[in-house]
Short mmCIF file of all heavy atoms in Angstrom, two decimals:
data_model
loop_
_atom_site.label_atom_id
_atom_site.label_comp_id
_atom_site.label_asym_id
_atom_site.label_seq_id
_atom_site.Cartn_x
_atom_site.Cartn_y
_atom_site.Cartn_z
N MET A 30 -5.17 14.69 -13.89
CA MET A 30 -4.31 15.28 -14.93
C MET A 30 -4.75 16.70 -15.23
O MET A 30 -5.95 17.01 -15.14
CB MET A 30 -4.39 14.44 -16.20
CG MET A 30 -3.50 14.96 -17.31
SD MET A 30 -3.55 13.92 -18.78
CE MET A 30 -5.08 14.43 -19.50
N ILE A 31 -3.80 17.54 -15.57
CA ILE A 31 -4.13 18.90 -16.01
C ILE A 31 -3.62 19.06 -17.44
O ILE A 31 -2.51 18.65 -17.78
CB ILE A 31 -3.54 19.97 -15.06
CG1 ILE A 31 -4.06 21.36 -15.43
CG2 ILE A 31 -2.01 19.93 -15.04
CD1 ILE A 31 -3.83 22.39 -14.36
N SER A 32 -4.50 19.62 -18.28
CA SER A 32 -4.14 19.86 -19.67
C SER A 32 -4.07 21.36 -19.89
O SER A 32 -5.01 22.09 -19.55
CB SER A 32 -5.21 19.23 -20.57
OG SER A 32 -4.90 19.44 -21.92
N ILE A 33 -2.98 21.82 -20.43
CA ILE A 33 -2.77 23.27 -20.60
C ILE A 33 -1.96 23.50 -21.87
O ILE A 33 -1.06 22.71 -22.19
CB ILE A 33 -2.05 23.87 -19.35
CG1 ILE A 33 -1.95 25.40 -19.45
CG2 ILE A 33 -0.71 23.22 -19.09
CD1 ILE A 33 -1.52 26.06 -18.14
N ASN A 34 -2.29 24.55 -22.60
CA ASN A 34 -1.54 24.75 -23.85
C ASN A 34 -0.23 25.50 -23.61
O ASN A 34 -0.06 26.19 -22.59
CB ASN A 34 -2.41 25.40 -24.94
CG ASN A 34 -2.74 26.83 -24.67
OD1 ASN A 34 -1.85 27.63 -24.37
ND2 ASN A 34 -4.00 27.19 -24.78
N LYS A 35 0.66 25.36 -24.56
CA LYS A 35 2.01 25.89 -24.41
C LYS A 35 2.01 27.40 -24.25
O LYS A 35 2.79 27.95 -23.46
CB LYS A 35 2.85 25.48 -25.63
CG LYS A 35 4.31 25.90 -25.53
CD LYS A 35 5.10 25.42 -26.72
CE LYS A 35 6.56 25.87 -26.63
NZ LYS A 35 6.71 27.31 -26.45
N GLU A 36 1.11 28.09 -24.98
CA GLU A 36 1.08 29.54 -24.88
C GLU A 36 0.71 30.00 -23.47
O GLU A 36 1.27 30.96 -22.94
CB GLU A 36 0.10 30.12 -25.91
CG GLU A 36 -0.14 31.62 -25.79
CD GLU A 36 1.14 32.46 -25.76
OE1 GLU A 36 2.13 32.08 -26.39
OE2 GLU A 36 1.13 33.51 -25.05
N ALA A 37 -0.23 29.30 -22.84
CA ALA A 37 -0.61 29.65 -21.47
C ALA A 37 0.56 29.42 -20.52
O ALA A 37 0.83 30.24 -19.63
CB ALA A 37 -1.82 28.82 -21.03
N LEU A 38 1.28 28.32 -20.73
CA LEU A 38 2.46 28.07 -19.87
C LEU A 38 3.52 29.14 -20.08
O LEU A 38 4.15 29.60 -19.12
CB LEU A 38 3.05 26.69 -20.20
CG LEU A 38 2.48 25.48 -19.46
CD1 LEU A 38 3.31 24.25 -19.81
CD2 LEU A 38 2.45 25.70 -17.96
N ASP A 39 3.71 29.54 -21.34
CA ASP A 39 4.70 30.60 -21.61
C ASP A 39 4.28 31.92 -20.96
O ASP A 39 5.12 32.68 -20.47
CB ASP A 39 4.87 30.79 -23.12
CG ASP A 39 5.63 29.64 -23.77
OD1 ASP A 39 6.28 28.88 -23.02
OD2 ASP A 39 5.57 29.50 -25.00
N GLN A 40 2.96 32.18 -20.96
CA GLN A 40 2.45 33.38 -20.31
C GLN A 40 2.75 33.35 -18.80
O GLN A 40 3.14 34.36 -18.21
CB GLN A 40 0.93 33.46 -20.55
CG GLN A 40 0.32 34.83 -20.32
CD GLN A 40 -1.18 34.83 -20.64
OE1 GLN A 40 -1.69 33.94 -21.32
NE2 GLN A 40 -1.88 35.81 -20.12
N ILE A 41 2.58 32.19 -18.20
CA ILE A 41 2.88 32.04 -16.77
C ILE A 41 4.38 32.24 -16.53
O ILE A 41 4.79 32.92 -15.59
CB ILE A 41 2.41 30.65 -16.27
CG1 ILE A 41 0.88 30.60 -16.25
CG2 ILE A 41 2.98 30.36 -14.89
CD1 ILE A 41 0.31 29.21 -16.00
N ARG A 42 5.20 31.67 -17.42
CA ARG A 42 6.66 31.84 -17.27
C ARG A 42 7.04 33.32 -17.34
O ARG A 42 7.85 33.82 -16.56
CB ARG A 42 7.40 31.06 -18.37
CG ARG A 42 7.44 29.58 -18.17
CD ARG A 42 8.44 28.95 -19.14
NE ARG A 42 8.54 27.51 -18.94
CZ ARG A 42 7.82 26.61 -19.61
NH1 ARG A 42 6.96 27.01 -20.54
NH2 ARG A 42 7.95 25.33 -19.36
N ALA A 56 -4.88 32.89 -11.63
CA ALA A 56 -5.88 31.81 -11.59
C ALA A 56 -5.88 31.04 -12.90
O ALA A 56 -5.48 31.55 -13.94
CB ALA A 56 -7.26 32.39 -11.32
N LEU A 57 -6.34 29.79 -12.82
CA LEU A 57 -6.48 28.92 -13.98
C LEU A 57 -7.97 28.69 -14.20
O LEU A 57 -8.65 28.14 -13.33
CB LEU A 57 -5.78 27.58 -13.73
CG LEU A 57 -4.33 27.63 -13.25
CD1 LEU A 57 -3.86 26.22 -12.84
CD2 LEU A 57 -3.42 28.18 -14.34
N PHE A 58 -8.48 29.14 -15.35
CA PHE A 58 -9.88 28.92 -15.70
C PHE A 58 -9.98 27.79 -16.72
O PHE A 58 -9.06 27.59 -17.52
CB PHE A 58 -10.48 30.18 -16.34
CG PHE A 58 -10.90 31.25 -15.35
CD1 PHE A 58 -10.59 31.17 -14.01
CD2 PHE A 58 -11.62 32.35 -15.79
CE1 PHE A 58 -10.97 32.15 -13.11
CE2 PHE A 58 -12.01 33.34 -14.91
CZ PHE A 58 -11.71 33.24 -13.57
N THR A 65 -9.80 15.14 -15.10
CA THR A 65 -8.99 15.98 -16.00
C THR A 65 -9.42 17.43 -15.94
O THR A 65 -10.60 17.76 -16.13
CB THR A 65 -9.12 15.47 -17.46
OG1 THR A 65 -8.64 14.13 -17.53
CG2 THR A 65 -8.29 16.35 -18.40
N ARG A 66 -8.47 18.29 -15.63
CA ARG A 66 -8.70 19.72 -15.67
C ARG A 66 -8.12 20.26 -16.98
O ARG A 66 -6.92 20.09 -17.22
CB ARG A 66 -8.02 20.42 -14.49
CG ARG A 66 -8.56 20.05 -13.12
CD ARG A 66 -7.72 20.70 -12.04
NE ARG A 66 -8.27 20.54 -10.71
CZ ARG A 66 -8.05 19.50 -9.91
NH1 ARG A 66 -7.27 18.51 -10.33
NH2 ARG A 66 -8.60 19.44 -8.71
N SER A 67 -8.96 20.90 -17.79
CA SER A 67 -8.49 21.46 -19.05
C SER A 67 -8.49 22.99 -18.94
O SER A 67 -9.56 23.61 -18.86
CB SER A 67 -9.40 21.02 -20.20
OG SER A 67 -9.38 19.62 -20.33
N VAL A 68 -7.30 23.57 -18.91
CA VAL A 68 -7.17 25.02 -18.74
C VAL A 68 -7.45 25.71 -20.08
O VAL A 68 -6.84 25.38 -21.10
CB VAL A 68 -5.75 25.38 -18.25
CG1 VAL A 68 -5.60 26.90 -18.12
CG2 VAL A 68 -5.46 24.71 -16.91
N SER A 69 -8.38 26.67 -20.06
CA SER A 69 -8.68 27.42 -21.28
C SER A 69 -8.10 28.83 -21.23
O SER A 69 -7.92 29.47 -22.26
CB SER A 69 -10.20 27.50 -21.50
OG SER A 69 -10.82 28.11 -20.39
N GLU A 70 -7.84 29.31 -20.03
CA GLU A 70 -7.38 30.69 -19.90
C GLU A 70 -6.69 30.86 -18.55
O GLU A 70 -7.10 30.27 -17.56
CB GLU A 70 -8.60 31.63 -19.97
CG GLU A 70 -8.26 33.11 -19.98
CD GLU A 70 -9.51 33.98 -20.10
OE1 GLU A 70 -10.63 33.43 -20.13
OE2 GLU A 70 -9.37 35.20 -20.15
N ILE A 71 -5.66 31.68 -18.54
CA ILE A 71 -5.07 32.04 -17.25
C ILE A 71 -5.42 33.50 -16.95
O ILE A 71 -5.54 34.33 -17.86
CB ILE A 71 -3.55 31.81 -17.19
CG1 ILE A 71 -2.80 32.82 -18.04
CG2 ILE A 71 -3.19 30.39 -17.59
CD1 ILE A 71 -1.37 32.97 -17.60
N ILE A 72 -5.60 33.79 -15.68
CA ILE A 72 -5.96 35.14 -15.24
C ILE A 72 -4.84 35.64 -14.32
O ILE A 72 -4.80 35.29 -13.13
CB ILE A 72 -7.30 35.14 -14.47
CG1 ILE A 72 -8.40 34.41 -15.25
CG2 ILE A 72 -7.71 36.58 -14.12
CD1 ILE A 72 -8.86 35.10 -16.50
N LEU A 109 -10.24 26.39 -11.92
CA LEU A 109 -9.61 25.07 -11.80
C LEU A 109 -8.50 25.06 -10.76
O LEU A 109 -8.17 24.00 -10.20
CB LEU A 109 -9.02 24.64 -13.14
CG LEU A 109 -9.99 24.50 -14.31
CD1 LEU A 109 -9.23 24.10 -15.57
CD2 LEU A 109 -11.06 23.48 -14.00
N PHE A 111 -4.82 27.57 -9.28
CA PHE A 111 -4.03 28.80 -9.23
C PHE A 111 -2.57 28.50 -9.56
O PHE A 111 -2.13 27.37 -9.42
CB PHE A 111 -4.13 29.41 -7.82
CG PHE A 111 -5.55 29.78 -7.47
CD1 PHE A 111 -6.38 28.84 -6.86
CD2 PHE A 111 -6.06 31.02 -7.79
CE1 PHE A 111 -7.71 29.16 -6.58
CE2 PHE A 111 -7.38 31.34 -7.51
CZ PHE A 111 -8.20 30.41 -6.91
N TYR A 112 -1.88 29.52 -10.01
CA TYR A 112 -0.44 29.36 -10.22
C TYR A 112 0.31 30.38 -9.39
O TYR A 112 -0.24 31.44 -9.05
CB TYR A 112 -0.07 29.47 -11.71
CG TYR A 112 -0.18 30.85 -12.31
CD1 TYR A 112 0.88 31.78 -12.22
CD2 TYR A 112 -1.34 31.25 -12.99
CE1 TYR A 112 0.78 33.04 -12.78
CE2 TYR A 112 -1.43 32.52 -13.56
CZ TYR A 112 -0.37 33.40 -13.45
OH TYR A 112 -0.47 34.66 -14.01
N LEU A 137 -0.35 25.19 -9.57
CA LEU A 137 0.77 25.11 -10.51
C LEU A 137 1.88 26.02 -9.98
O LEU A 137 1.65 27.19 -9.68
CB LEU A 137 0.29 25.55 -11.89
CG LEU A 137 1.13 25.16 -13.08
CD1 LEU A 137 0.25 25.01 -14.31
CD2 LEU A 137 2.19 26.21 -13.33
N ILE A 149 8.22 23.66 -14.10
CA ILE A 149 6.83 23.91 -13.71
C ILE A 149 6.23 22.58 -13.31
O ILE A 149 6.39 21.57 -14.02
CB ILE A 149 6.01 24.53 -14.86
CG1 ILE A 149 6.58 25.90 -15.24
CG2 ILE A 149 4.54 24.67 -14.46
CD1 ILE A 149 5.78 26.62 -16.32
N CYS A 151 2.63 20.73 -11.23
CA CYS A 151 1.26 20.94 -10.78
C CYS A 151 0.94 19.98 -9.63
O CYS A 151 1.29 18.80 -9.69
CB CYS A 151 0.29 20.72 -11.93
SG CYS A 151 -1.40 21.17 -11.53
N THR A 165 -0.14 14.84 -13.29
CA THR A 165 0.42 14.75 -14.63
C THR A 165 0.00 15.99 -15.42
O THR A 165 -1.15 16.41 -15.36
CB THR A 165 -0.12 13.50 -15.34
OG1 THR A 165 0.21 12.36 -14.56
CG2 THR A 165 0.47 13.36 -16.73
N MET A 166 0.97 16.57 -16.13
CA MET A 166 0.67 17.77 -16.91
C MET A 166 0.78 17.44 -18.39
O MET A 166 1.81 16.98 -18.87
CB MET A 166 1.64 18.90 -16.52
CG MET A 166 1.16 20.25 -16.97
SD MET A 166 1.84 21.62 -15.98
CE MET A 166 3.56 21.28 -15.99
N ASN A 167 -0.32 17.66 -19.11
CA ASN A 167 -0.35 17.43 -20.55
C ASN A 167 -0.27 18.78 -21.24
O ASN A 167 -1.22 19.58 -21.15
CB ASN A 167 -1.64 16.69 -20.92
CG ASN A 167 -1.78 16.51 -22.41
OD1 ASN A 167 -0.79 16.25 -23.10
ND2 ASN A 167 -2.98 16.67 -22.93
N VAL A 168 0.84 19.06 -21.91
CA VAL A 168 1.03 20.36 -22.57
C VAL A 168 0.63 20.22 -24.03
O VAL A 168 1.21 19.41 -24.76
CB VAL A 168 2.48 20.83 -22.44
CG1 VAL A 168 2.64 22.20 -23.11
CG2 VAL A 168 2.89 20.91 -20.98
N THR A 169 -0.37 21.00 -24.42
CA THR A 169 -0.87 20.92 -25.79
C THR A 169 -0.30 22.07 -26.61
O THR A 169 0.13 23.10 -26.07
CB THR A 169 -2.40 20.95 -25.83
OG1 THR A 169 -2.85 22.19 -25.28
CG2 THR A 169 -2.98 19.81 -25.01
N SER A 170 -0.35 21.93 -27.92
CA SER A 170 0.23 22.95 -28.79
C SER A 170 -0.77 24.06 -29.11
O SER A 170 -0.39 25.11 -29.62
CB SER A 170 0.74 22.32 -30.09
OG SER A 170 -0.31 21.63 -30.73
N SER A 171 -2.07 23.81 -28.86
CA SER A 171 -3.04 24.86 -29.17
C SER A 171 -4.10 24.93 -28.09
O SER A 171 -4.20 24.05 -27.24
CB SER A 171 -3.70 24.58 -30.51
OG SER A 171 -4.37 23.35 -30.48
#
Side-chain angles (χ1 to χ4, degrees):
Chain A
M30 182 177 78
I31 188 165
S32 180
I33 185 168
N34 71 50
K35 184 177 179 306
E36 173 52 33
L38 273 186
D39 287 344
Q40 198 178 342
I41 290 170
R42 285 192 178 93
L57 309 171
F58 279 9
T65 299
R66 295 175 172 87
S67 299
V68 178
S69 58
E70 186 178 2
I71 71 157
I72 310 291
L109 300 179
F111 299 89
Y112 71 85
L137 198 151
I149 297 183
C151 188
T165 302
M166 197 155 51
N167 175 39
V168 181
T169 62
S170 56
S171 60

